[in-house]
Amino acid sequence: SNGIMWIGTQKGLCKYDGNVITTYTSNDGLPDDYISRLFEDNQGNLWIGSQYGGLTKYDGHFLTILNNKNGLPANNISGIDQDSKGNIWIGMWGGGITKFDGKKTETIGRKQGLFESRVTHITIDDKDKIWIATNGGGLYTYDGSKICVENNRSKIGEIYLTFLYMDSKERFWTGAWNE
């Protein structure tokens, strides 16, 4: 973004401006040094997902932290995306998915039909359908009102999805492994 490359590592967040790499850690205000996901929203804010400290929004000046003390069910961030209305969607290992509208959170989980809470990745398509990869529960979608299971576990066994991507031609790519 703007000629800056952000890199998440297990030892902090690195900023590369083309000449110098600067590393930011919990000593600089991040809630955790283990950075698990990065996402830039449509307003240029950087969302920083961490392994143990929740989600941090960096607007270029200030850090805003969202975690299990103020709206998230879990702190292990595994996916971040934005829908067409500007809502930020957060996937969490052990926490399902949560929508953040900038003020309040709404969690989608077992009660709504997401029976595997160990979310490994999320992505949102052009119709605002949220695709949810899980560890052992396969692939789910959420259309804003209901959760659907997109794979038949009885036919493929337990599948461990690790990554989701929807390309510009609406082709769906996923990384997975199975024992």
Side-chain angles (χ1 to χ4, degrees):
S1 162
N2 299 323
I4 302 291
M5 181 183 295
W6 294 97
I7 306 160
T9 75
Q10 294 179 9
K11 295 184 178 180
L13 176 66
C14 298
K15 175 184 174 183
Y16 178 61
D17 65 6
N19 296 308
V20 177
I21 296 176
T22 306
T23 302
Y24 301 96
T25 67
S26 54
N27 293 332
D28 301 298
L30 291 174
D32 182 20
D33 291 341
Y34 193 126
I35 307 303
S36 56
R37 292 286 187 262
L38 295 173
F39 177 77
E40 184 178 1
D41 69 19
N42 61 14
Q43 295 180 341
N45 299 306
L46 180 66
W47 295 83
I48 307 156
S50 69
Q51 187 77 20
Y52 306 106
L55 184 67
T56 303
K57 175 185 166 186
Y58 177 60
D59 66 6
H61 303 287
F62 301 103
L63 297 175
T64 304
I65 298 169
L66 188 62
N67 58 31
N68 64 354
K69 296 177 183 166
N70 62 358
L72 294 181
N75 282 338
N76 189 334
I77 307 302
S78 56
I80 311 164
D81 208 342
Q82 184 175 33
D83 66 22
S84 66
K85 296 178 183 102
N87 298 306
I88 298 295
W89 288 86
I90 306 126
M92 292 149 289
W93 182 269
I97 62 172
T98 294
K99 177 176 81 170
F100 179 57
D101 67 6
K103 297 187 189 285
K104 62 182 179 5
T105 59
E106 176 188 351
T107 296
I108 311 300
R110 187 171 292 276
K111 188 165 97 175
Q112 292 81 11
L114 182 61
F115 296 110
E116 176 54 72
S117 68
R118 296 173 300 172
V119 173
T120 56
H121 202 267
I122 63 169
T123 194
I124 301 174
D125 68 20
D126 290 341
K127 297 176 183 81
D128 279 344
K129 182 184 283 186
I130 300 153
W131 294 80
I132 307 157
T134 67
N135 184 58
L139 183 63
Y140 292 82
T141 57
Y142 179 66
D143 66 2
S145 62
K146 68 179 188 279
I147 293 275
C148 291
V149 179
E150 296 295 331
N151 62 285
N152 185 334
R153 243 177 111 177
S154 65
K155 289 185 180 175
I156 64 171
E158 286 193 5
I159 188 167
Y160 300 90
L161 298 173
T162 58
F163 181 78
L164 300 173
Y165 178 73
M166 181 81 63
D167 69 18
S168 61
K169 295 181 180 177
E170 295 188 5
R171 292 179 296 197
F172 195 66
W173 300 84
T174 184
W177 66 275
N178 193 331
E179 294 181 356

